[in-house]
């Protein structure tokens, strides 16, 4: 079984009684790796999975979990084939920091996007700009419903009240009967 399959099995195999311990181990591992990446922003994180596990004093499977999370934030995500990663796989992690911050917001990973090391990477103003842009992107805009006297959206040329509105009301009446 590949390291990625082991990671997926571990992640999906959590129970109510094991989740807290697992999450604590994983989030601590993740925070230590990200803190290093942020405080060494001009360097790539390089080494084999086994070497990185040793460097950060974490299990290899936790390195795999980190890779699974960071892949979408890399400058070139296609260089990382998660399915092919083994303990001997040489890695060179080069994140796009703005995308990384945005993805952390999307994952609601407060423990990561609030790391103090972000101060060295993105200004408070830039982080706030990314946060506002992210929040704007999540706003749902419902499609405008036609008014009774608007032209029917089906293109019949009739008013909505004399066309599809009647059909909708008839269908609703029949479904209630």
């Amino acid at each position: 079984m590949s390291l990625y399959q082991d990671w997926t099995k571990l992640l999906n195999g959590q129970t109510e009684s094991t989740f807290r311990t697992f999450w604590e181990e994983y989030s601590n591992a993740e925070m230590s790796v990200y803190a290093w990446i942020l405080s060494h922003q001009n360097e790539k994180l390089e080494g084999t999975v086994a070497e990185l596990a040793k460097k950060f004093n974490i299990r290899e499977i936790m390195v795999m979990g980190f890779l699974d999370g960071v892949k979408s934030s890399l400058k070139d995500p296609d260089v990382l084939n998660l399915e092919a990663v083994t303990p001997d796989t040489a890695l060179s992690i080069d994140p796009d920091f703005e995308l990384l911050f945005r993805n952390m917001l999307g994952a609601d990973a407060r423990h990561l996007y609030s790391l103090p090391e972000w101060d060295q990477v993105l200004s408070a103003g830039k982080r706030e700009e990314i946060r506002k842009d992210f929040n704007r992107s999540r706003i749902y805009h419902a499609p405008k419903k036609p008014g009774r006297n608007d032209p029917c959206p089906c293109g019949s040329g009739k008013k909505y009240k004399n066309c599809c509105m009647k059909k909708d009301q008839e269908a609703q009446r029949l479904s209630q009967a």
Side-chain angles (χ1 to χ4, degrees):
M1 197 177 301
S2 76
L3 201 52
Y4 182 70
Q5 289 171 327
D6 289 344
W7 164 250
T8 304
K9 185 177 176 184
L10 176 65
L11 183 63
N12 295 328
Q14 296 306 307
T15 64
E16 228 176 274
S17 62
T18 63
F19 183 77
R20 183 181 202 96
T21 304
F22 162 77
W23 180 248
E24 190 173 300
E25 179 187 6
Y26 176 67
S27 61
N28 287 336
E30 196 177 36
M31 287 185 337
S32 68
V33 176
Y34 279 117
W36 187 93
I37 287 173
L38 295 171
S39 61
H40 295 85
Q41 66 188 1
N42 296 324
E43 300 175 40
K44 291 181 181 179
L45 177 61
E46 296 182 318
T48 66
V49 170
E51 290 168 346
L52 295 178
K54 190 173 184 175
K55 176 179 185 161
F56 294 107
N57 197 26
I58 60 178
R59 295 189 295 155
E60 291 173 356
I61 201 158
M62 293 298 151
V63 174
M64 186 69 239
F66 160 75
L67 294 173
D68 189 20
V70 78
K71 180 177 170 65
S72 63
S73 302
L74 298 178
K75 290 179 181 172
D76 185 5
D78 296 332
V79 299
L80 182 58
N81 178 0
L82 295 176
E83 295 283 345
V85 172
T86 68
D88 298 324
T89 301
L91 303 167
S92 181
I93 306 300
D94 191 16
D96 174 330
F97 289 106
E98 290 184 21
L99 181 58
L100 179 62
F101 188 79
R102 183 179 178 81
N103 288 342
M104 286 177 177
L105 291 170
D108 196 23
R110 183 178 313 250
H111 64 289
L112 298 176
Y113 66 73
S114 62
L115 286 169
E117 289 82 2
W118 275 110
D119 294 340
Q120 303 167 33
V121 180
L122 298 173
S123 69
K126 185 63 177 177
R127 291 192 311 261
E128 187 58 30
E129 177 186 323
I130 294 169
R131 185 177 281 115
K132 284 180 181 179
D133 182 53
F134 172 76
N135 289 338
R136 272 193 299 272
S137 73
R138 294 181 29 197
I139 296 172
Y140 173 74
H141 297 281
K144 184 177 181 276
K145 294 182 180 179
R148 292 175 43 84
N149 291 315
D150 289 341
C152 191
C154 75
S156 67
K158 297 179 182 179
K159 288 185 177 184
Y160 177 63
K161 68 182 178 186
N162 295 322
C163 190
C164 289
M165 186 173 139
K166 279 188 178 180
K167 292 176 193 171
D168 291 343
Q169 288 173 341
E170 182 63 20
Q172 194 174 35
R173 187 185 64 76
L174 290 173
S175 70
Q176 291 174 353

